[in-house]
Amino acid sequence: MLTRIDDYRWEIPITYKPGMRVPGLIFSDEQMLRHIQDEQSLEQVANVAFLPGIVGRSLAMPDIHWGYGFPIGGVAATRVDDGVISPGGVGFDINCGVRLLRTNLTEREVKPKIERLLADLFINVPSGLGSKGKIRLKGNEIDKLLLKGAGWAVAAGYGEPEDLEFTEDHGCLKGADPDKVSIKAKTRGTPQSGTLGSGNHFLEIQVVDEVYDAGIAQAFGIEEKGQILVLIHTGSRGFGHQVCDDYLKTMGTAVRNYGIDLPDRQLACAPVNSPEGQSYLAAMACAANYAWANRQCITHWTRESFSRVLGKSPRDLGMRLVYDVAHNIAKIEKHQVEGKKLTVCVHRKGATRAFPAGHPDIPEAYRKVGQPVLIPGDMGRYSYVAVGTEKAMEETFGSTCHGAGRAKSRSAARRSISGADVAAELAAKGIAIQVANIASLAEEAPAAYKDVAEVMHITDAAGISPRVIKARPIGVIKG
DNA sequence: ATGTGC
C-alpha cells in the first residue's frame, strides 16, 4: 500500500483504490510506521482522497491514528469552487487546540509552591466530564460569545486585549452565525463555557527543558532552561460536539441529494458553496469561537491563581500569551497549487497550522521567525514548541502534527494500566497532579501514548515544523 | 473528544 519516497515521506499511490482523485502522503519513518501498519488509519487516508475537489494530496502527519471518517492527524484541502466540506475532517471537538503562556518564573521559585498552585488552579478552573463553569450566560449572551470568541471573553473581563494579538485569527473566526446552531447545542454549551473538560484535556505547569533554536525561542518570549510555562489544552466541549453531531445528519442527506460518491459514510460532506456547506461553516465558526473564549477565560483564572499563590501581579509574573492555535478546524485559505493561487478549504483534523515567517496571518512580533506551533505530549514526558515553515506551506498547506497520538485505546489502557501505578510513576518523577476523575489517569497514562519526541523528530527532519524548545511537566490538572 | 450508546 505504501511507496517510500524518502526517509520521512510515504505515498499511497492514486492507483491503490479506484476512485482516489489524488495520492495519499504520510509523514512518517520506519519506526513510526510499525505503530500504524495494521490500523485502518491508512485506509482512511486513501478514502479522504475520494472527496470531490480535493487538491494536492490526502495528507497524514506522523501522529496519525484512526478517527471518524478522516484519520486524526489528517489534512485535506478542497477547492472552494467545486469541492466539499466534511465535518468528519474537523472532528467532534471543533477547535480543540492549545494555548501557551510564558512567565518570568523559574522552576526553583515554583517547585516549593507547586501543590498549593495546583490546588488553587483546580478550584479556579472548572474541570471534568459534564462539568459546569462559573460563567452565567443570560438571555442571548451565548450568541454574542459565539460571534466574538476570545474578544467576548476579554470584553467580559477575562484577560487582556493583547492576548487577542497572540491568538490564531485573534480568537474569532469570521462568518459565525448563531442562527445556524441548534438550540440543543446552545443549551449544552451555555453552562459549560469556561471549563477544561476531560480526557486528554489538561492544564500543565511546565519547565523549559531544552532549547533547540535560541533565537526563535527568544522571539516567542522563551529565554532559558528552567523557565516556567503554562500549557492549556481544551476545545469547544459539548457545544462543538453537538454542532458536529447535528451537521453529520445534515451532510448525510446532502450526500444523497448532491449524488456524491464516497467509500465511507463517515466522510459525509456537502459542496462548500451549497447551503448545507455554508451553514456548517457558519456553525463551525461559532464552535471555534466558543473554544477560543473558553481558553481565554481559563487563561484569566490561571493568571489569578498564579498571582494569588505567588503573591505578585500577573504583569510582574510576565504571564504573556505566547500563542493559541487550533488543531481541529477547517479554514478557507489561499494556497499555491501546481503553480496557481487557489482558494481552498483546508481541513485540519488533529493537525496544527504551521505558517511560515512573513505570512500576514501571524502576529507582527513573530513575522520574522514564523508561527509558533504548540505540540502537547503526554503528562509524564514532555511537550514541544516548534515553528511553521515555507516547506509546510508548499507540502502540507501550512500544517503539521498535533501531538503524540495514542498507542493504546482508552479501553486497552484501562485494562492494562492501573491508575495508582500512574500516580506513583508521576510522583517518582516529581510531577504533581490533580485529577477530576481517577479513571482518566490510566486512560491518559504516558504508556497509552506514543513518544511525542519520535513525532517531532519526523516533522523536524521533514522540515514542516522544526523544534524550538522542549518542556517537561511539573504540575498537571486533568479533567 | 462527548450528558460514552437508536
Side-chain angles (χ1 to χ4, degrees):
Chain A
M1 167 173 200
L2 291 182
T3 309
R4 182 180 176 280
I5 295 175
D6 63 24
D7 286 353
Y8 304 106
R9 289 169 182 80
W10 306 76
E11 188 181 70
I12 303 177
I14 196 163
T15 49
Y16 171 68
K17 252 183 175 180
M20 285 173 71
R21 295 167 192 259
V22 296
L25 178 64
I26 292 125
F27 287 83
S28 195
D29 63 9
E30 298 216 356
Q31 198 178 342
M32 285 301 273
L33 279 173
R34 264 179 255 132
H35 288 299
I36 58 175
Q37 207 55 280
D38 53 357
E39 287 182 25
Q40 304 133 290
S41 56
L42 296 178
E43 202 67 33
Q44 292 188 317
V45 177
N47 291 344
V48 168
F50 280 67
L51 292 177
I54 187 168
V55 294
R57 290 164 200 282
S58 170
L59 299 158
M61 299 301 139
D63 49 336
I64 178 179
H65 53 115
W66 182 83
Y68 185 93
F70 276 59
I72 294 159
V75 176
T78 51
R79 282 187 300 265
V80 160
D81 285 349
D82 61 349
V84 294
I85 168 98
S86 175
V90 172
F92 278 87
D93 190 2
I94 296 166
N95 191 4
C96 185
V98 194
R99 169 176 283 226
L100 181 70
L101 302 171
R102 55 132 2 249
T103 74
N104 292 336
L105 295 161
T106 62
E107 181 176 17
R108 197 191 301 194
E109 290 168 89
V110 171
K111 199 84 198 210
K113 295 176 176 168
I114 191 77
E115 293 290 351
R116 270 181 61 204
L117 193 50
L118 275 191
D120 198 288
L121 283 162
F122 195 63
I123 292 164
N124 214 14
V125 179
S127 64
L129 184 66
S131 63
K132 289 179 181 176
K134 47 194 185 182
I135 295 169
R136 297 283 165 260
L137 297 169
K138 298 207 169 64
N140 66 348
E141 195 69 16
I142 181 82
D143 287 0
K144 291 183 187 156
L145 182 154
L146 300 177
L147 282 168
K148 293 188 182 164
W152 173 88
V154 170
Y158 304 104
E160 306 294 326
E162 190 204 48
D163 296 341
L164 304 179
E165 172 64 21
F166 295 101
T167 304
E168 177 179 353
D169 288 329
H170 293 81
C172 180
L173 199 53
K174 288 197 198 90
D177 182 354
D179 289 345
K180 303 297 183 199
V181 172
S182 69
I183 298 293
K184 196 175 177 187
K186 290 184 194 178
T187 306
R188 277 181 79 174
T190 297
Q192 290 187 339
S193 68
T195 63
L196 195 61
S198 68
N200 72 351
H201 289 164
F202 63 73
L203 187 156
E204 282 187 6
I205 300 168
Q206 305 183 334
V207 180
V208 177
D209 203 30
E210 207 152 337
V211 178
Y212 305 99
D213 189 317
I216 298 179
Q218 180 88 34
F220 293 163
I222 302 170
E223 282 91 18
E224 56 191 351
K225 280 194 199 179
Q227 184 178 351
I228 295 288
L229 306 173
V230 181
L231 193 67
I232 296 161
H233 178 207
T234 182
S236 52
R237 311 286 288 103
F239 181 85
H241 193 275
Q242 190 62 48
V243 167
C244 182
D245 216 34
D246 292 340
Y247 278 93
L248 281 172
K249 288 190 191 84
T250 307
M251 297 303 192
T253 314
V255 166
R256 288 194 295 277
N257 290 348
Y258 294 100
I260 301 169
D261 225 358
L262 296 171
D264 179 357
R265 242 200 201 140
Q266 294 185 350
L267 291 174
C269 56
V272 179
N273 277 329
S274 66
E276 295 90 337
Q278 289 295 304
S279 295
Y280 171 69
L281 279 171
M284 185 206 73
C286 287
N289 293 345
Y290 182 100
W292 273 315
N294 194 24
R295 292 196 286 273
Q296 183 61 42
C297 293
I298 292 171
T299 299
H300 176 69
W301 298 321
T302 301
R303 288 175 174 145
E304 253 181 20
S305 289
F306 268 77
S307 185
R308 190 154 41 222
V309 173
L310 293 148
K312 286 183 185 172
S313 75
R315 199 163 293 275
D316 287 343
L317 293 171
M319 296 188 76
R320 186 175 73 70
L321 181 55
V322 173
Y323 204 57
D324 176 312
V325 67
H327 54 224
N328 275 7
I329 201 161
K331 304 281 283 282
I332 308 297
E333 296 170 0
K334 286 193 170 41
H335 286 273
Q336 202 79 21
V337 181
E338 284 157 19
K340 274 188 285 185
K341 200 107 183 169
L342 213 58
T343 305
V344 289
C345 176
V346 184
H347 300 71
R348 295 191 182 93
K349 185 196 197 173
T352 310
R353 197 181 75 171
F355 279 178
H359 198 288
D361 289 353
I362 67 177
E364 186 84 54
Y366 304 152
R367 206 62 65 76
K368 284 193 180 137
V369 294
Q371 180 212 299
V373 168
L374 311 176
I375 308 296
D378 63 76
M379 61 182 164
R381 281 179 276 195
Y382 26 67
S383 297
Y384 286 85
V385 177
V387 67
T389 62
E390 202 55 57
K391 194 148 195 82
M393 219 55 187
E394 288 161 14
E395 281 196 90
T396 60
F397 301 97
S399 318
T400 188
C401 63
H402 85 306
R406 293 199 81 89
K408 287 187 163 117
S409 70
R410 292 187 178 280
S411 52
R414 271 201 308 269
R415 277 196 303 273
S416 59
I417 305 168
S418 101
D421 286 352
V422 177
E425 176 196 339
L426 295 175
K429 284 184 168 174
I431 302 169
I433 54 166
Q434 284 274 3
V435 218
N437 174 11
I438 198 76
S440 73
L441 217 47
E443 293 180 8
E444 295 301 318
Y449 283 90
K450 293 175 207 166
D451 188 347
V452 71
E454 289 181 36
V455 173
M456 293 310 295
H457 167 68
I458 295 164
T459 61
D460 186 303
I464 57 173
S465 61
R467 292 168 289 208
V468 177
I469 65 123
K470 181 165 86 172
R472 63 182 157 82
I474 58 167
V476 179
I477 289 182
K478 272 278 181 190

